């Protein structure tokens, strides 16, 4: 089986890291294809960038030229999963939901530790729509940006481990979800410090996607995620050649 | 004051109709500018189209060349309001939230009557994120598509009025919100049949936007809707000249 | 248009201050009439006083001799709005709900800062009935009584600003509602300290009342707020001449 | 021990009936004193009448000249219990809460059957504030007014029994609460038809009030229900002699 | 009337203490029979022990040879009440629910103070199923085990009083429930320190059981708690003579 | 890896059928061991039987003589999963939660179709504790008992398919969970009639258990599911030889 794992930002090294993480847990016989979206931000840390990523991820998947069996949207707290479910006949798994859903099998309550404070409401909102908040003890921010996870790993580890420990002690979390696609490498350190199971969203999503395929299950098409109705779409998809030269956010 | 009212679909006649509806309730001295997004679907009736609209609306607003005091996102149940709030310093009002918020001043519970069944979960989700569900009696679908509201007005009226009456009788709604940008003209008939107040989202949004401007209030920038961080955005905005020729949904 | 703004306590200087606040945001052409209830407590800070105020406000409105277009109940967290809605055909706006409803357009979560700790549950209960708690981060007390807001303004400012700052920092509020009719003058200082938008209930209520009138909307009469059924009312309204001489609470 | 059972309307025959119902379940040694409020409506079926009753009940209790050990507010879905709790040092029991609280010991979910449709939201709101909605299957109206319960008993029985049966069959209620002070006599018929336990609020409240007294428990005074602060109350209590002659609702 | 009060652990001194507590509040004419389950743990502080207790309590009641009018399950946060309700025609009262239900008549919010941290989620879960969480401010652990309540009473008192004080100050509790069958003797000290009403579950349950009997009410048998269907039960009840010799937990 | 799949009733043919269903989806290399509890009811359809099953399942697992990697509790809506989690170091998966959790990846809302009406509240309660109700559209009963699923398969299919269709049409379910261990064979027919994905709990649980093992994740031991504390357990486990001869329910 082939699973597309789609990064939400345009930083290729993160795509590679996500792909490697996915491959490390995939079953023999599962091919992981990691995709980078054709446009968007180098890291996704807010609503504008997340909405842009939603569409970019759909374009990446829509234009992938080979058959595939499932799609993983590898952005934590990001928009867009519902759109992919409409466009595709194969299962779609969002890593935020995969992590929380898995955590619920492991403890009474779970917490998410993410990057910046501004990402917290996005994650809370996604969990709310997913119906996964009743057992969420907290969503905590480490204060490290997505890119600092790569550039200043030591400080990142310390900040994340500290918030995980606070979640276990003060918020009564019994499981920690690492709330960013780029945090997979930190699992061991968080386990060592807190003594609780730590769930990485990409890894959880791979096993769920494989399971759905194996069970022959896919998205229900009777209502919310029915295929888009045939209609005129103007000026889309964009001609990306010659698109606005890369640059600072234009807002 | 100048308020941008942005349609979420690319059907210009609907933009005009929304603009006219907004102007009919605007205060003297308020200039309404109705915008059509630069790309997207001729009607928005699902998640893919809605996510695409979210980004297209942001582009329409971002590239509007003159100053403005507030923005109204004129799509019922659509994604994207949070992105606009990040990008702008002026207030942003979503018509779904404007209608529900207004309805709550008028009765114990309100219902929304919208177009297709598939739009119901989108509206429910937006109301859930907006914290406006406690007093929502129901979201009901008339079964009429967005475009049929224009093309087969008589049938649309009948179907919508029927669902509004059911909401009042069975779901105990005391107020009806018309759940589509293109339904404004039906207010009178729904009032006549049901005897309850009927709220049009565009009209409600105009008065709320004007009120916020008059009170000197705008989006809080301390956390969720802080401006995007400066970072590299690749291949965006798109060069729309030469974009994929208009056509059927490509999914 | 004429809007009645009804104080809930019998302190005339507070009625005047509320009236002035309302006038400062009213549109040209809107006449604000500030009313003091015919009986009740000099400040309302608990359930007994609030229930008494509810009835006194209804009497003030019921006996007002001229036509009017809307009513604002200017007590934060007070009982009674539902009774006014039954008695009247024009819109009724409660400042607690007006403030919260407005705050929700400005940030992901809002907090209320009020006077005494004992007022907190009243406000929480009113927000719960109004369906406005999902996005309420906290209701905090400054520890200052209603009358101290006037008599010891400096200390009041300090205490309120401090709680607002705590709400933003610890409760993750992005907007502050000033939870008392007499706090309008403090807006500027709270904004300066916290950097978040600050909503005054009276001001918000005036713009909402004007909007409802302009949209031709009023209370739904089909069920909860139908006019009282014709029936015998004994010994009411009271002959207030010769009523119990003013004095300390008789409880 | 002496328990005051206070009717919320001014119909003396209903006060007597409520008193008799209370006496029929009181323990030996418990004296039941049934009070009629000094002013208000002949039946309470809406918010205005209920707010008026709240204050009138407080006056009735405040001016009762003998010692007492507990107070029962015998109006279903009425306002005011919190005010009584502030004014008194003895326990206060509301029959709406007493019935629901008792029902929860008897079945998985309970329903309330009340008089008019307009009373339903009042009861729902009181249950919501009391934190007793999670196991409430429904609140249903029989369509009979309070006074019709006395004047047209046969039709009342039939309508109430019918709604109780619907609650059991369709809403999955396993217990029925009779949602009006004047319904006590119907218990047997509802039991016979539905086969489920039927709780009368007045009876339940008597046993709860007795229990609290026996356990030496009364209202917590540390916060929400602290005694009113000493302050000036103007023009209250009213001089009821010479009050507005009895008449139709003046709204 | 005869009420069975069933301990959940096999420590006979605790059964006696629970029986004495029940007798101290029982009405004249009520006989309290305190039962110890035929098997199980010397103290119940977790899910395994609680599930075992659930079945053991049912066996104790099922094999009690004399008639009885009500049953009290005297374990705080324990499983099993629903099973007893199926097996019996008389009312069943759980002390967790009895305490919370009683507390709600006394203050706006209540907290539970229990033994070990690991018991907190059990109590929270039982309150959630009972629909009694809306007004629960917190469930706090004193860190003392069930048996330490007897063996090191001074330290237990101190730890419990401290948590009760924290609940009142920080969680805004207005009433405290003592969350363990063996805490009844601490009521006075907690009252003295916190100034709030303190509810003991056994005492509350006795008055509720007596009230239900007096009102002629018992468990609804139409659905959830219908008697077990006739069917083959294998190898049960166990032949306890010769059962595994007492010993450490075998897990 | 070896997974224990434990039936909750003592009907060996159902254990075999559950085992076969598990094996049909297990990965190569996974050994499925299906266990029948050492005591209990021939079918579990109520609280008494379910509590008994909880303990019997724990005994079956505790006395299984070989190593194993995960445990599946194969009773829909049954008690006991928390106890197993305390006793074991390997992951425990409940089929009710496995089915609902899987369904949430496939559609906006899901429904459960189960056997008897009396099982509905048990399932609802388990979903509530599991935090999986927000997206549950309904739990519906087919009216067929557990044993009738085997003895009258044709009628069972018809009844279950009918309720599934009602759930999709009236409750807006987009996915159906088959709410009984013995329903696995019906999947195909329900899919054919409703057109929505159908999730069997045993199958879903097998893939989840395998995934947890593969990810190296197991139950958090820091709080709720910590191992039982060392203490004296009396008269347990029972000497089952010579236990009460099999017979009708003794209630």
């Amino acid at each position: 089986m082939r699973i597309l794992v789609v990064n939400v930002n345009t930083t290729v090294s993160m795509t590679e890291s996500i792909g490697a993480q996915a491959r490390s847990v995939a079953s023999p016989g599962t091919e992981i294809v990691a995709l980078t979206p054709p446009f968007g931000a180098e890291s996704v840390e807010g609503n504008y960038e997340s909405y842009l990523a939603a569409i970019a991820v759909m374009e990446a998947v829509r234009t992938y030229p080979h058959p595939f069996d499932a799609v993983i949207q590898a952005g934590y707290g990001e928009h867009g999963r519902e759109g992919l479910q409409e466009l595709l006949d194969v299962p779609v798994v969002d890593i935020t939901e995969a992590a929380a859903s898995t955590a619920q099998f492991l403890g009474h309550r779970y917490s998410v530790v993410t990057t910046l404070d501004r990402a917290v409401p996005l994650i809370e909102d996604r969990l709310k729509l997913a119906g996964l908040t009743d057992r969420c003890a907290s969503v905590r921010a480490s204060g490290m940006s997505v890119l600092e996870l790569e550039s200043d790993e030591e400080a990142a580890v310390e900040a994340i481990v500290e918030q995980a420990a606070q979640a276990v002690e003060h918020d009564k979390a019994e499981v920690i979800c690492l709330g960013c696609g780029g945090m997979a490498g930190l699992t061991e350190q968080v386990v060592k410090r807190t003594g609780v199971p730590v769930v990485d969203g990409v890894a959880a999503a791979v096993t769920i996607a494989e399971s759905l395929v194996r069970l022959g299950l896919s998205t229900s098409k009777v209502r919310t995620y029915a295929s888009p109705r045939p209609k005129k779409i103007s000026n889309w998809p964009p001609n990306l050649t010659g698109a606005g030269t890369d640059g600072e956010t234009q807002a």
Side-chain angles (χ1 to χ4, degrees), chain A residues 37-56:
Chain A
F39 53 89
E42 62 184 327
S43 66
V44 176
E45 296 170 320
N47 283 286
Y48 169 65
E49 293 156 11
S50 178
Y51 276 118
L52 192 51
I55 285 297

Side-chain angles (χ1 to χ4, degrees), chain A residues 209-223:
Chain A
E210 286 185 347
S211 296
L212 296 177
V213 173
R214 215 163 75 203
L215 294 170
L217 292 169
S218 189
T219 305
S220 180
K221 289 289 178 179
V222 296
R223 193 184 187 218

Side-chain angles (χ1 to χ4, degrees), chain A residues 100-220:
Chain A
S101 200
T102 298
Q104 294 192 157
F105 287 103
L106 303 172
H108 198 259
R109 303 215 294 170
Y110 72 90
S111 283
V112 177
V113 180
T114 188
T115 52
L116 301 177
D117 193 41
R118 69 182 298 161
V120 171
L122 272 92
I123 294 174
E124 290 174 338
D125 279 1
R126 294 306 296 179
L127 292 173
K128 186 178 287 185
L129 290 187
L132 294 169
T133 51
D134 277 9
R135 290 168 65 193
C136 180
S138 58
V139 181
R140 282 176 169 263
S142 65
M144 307 299 288
S145 71
V146 172
L147 297 180
E148 284 171 318
L149 293 183
E150 286 202 331
S151 65
D152 188 356
E153 198 184 319
E154 199 175 338
V157 167
E158 198 166 332
I160 288 162
V161 164
E162 173 60 23
Q163 289 303 313
Q166 299 270 336
V168 173
E169 186 175 355
H170 295 304
D171 309 333
K172 304 294 182 188
E174 303 183 2
V175 187
I176 296 294
C177 294
L178 292 180
C180 176
M183 285 183 179
L186 311 175
T187 301
E188 203 178 333
Q189 278 133 309
V190 181
V191 170
K192 190 182 300 175
R193 167 73 177 277
T194 62
V196 306
V198 174
V199 181
D200 172 69
V202 172
V206 169
T207 64
I208 291 167
E210 286 185 347
S211 296
L212 296 177
V213 173
R214 215 163 75 203
L215 294 170
L217 292 169
S218 189
T219 305
S220 180

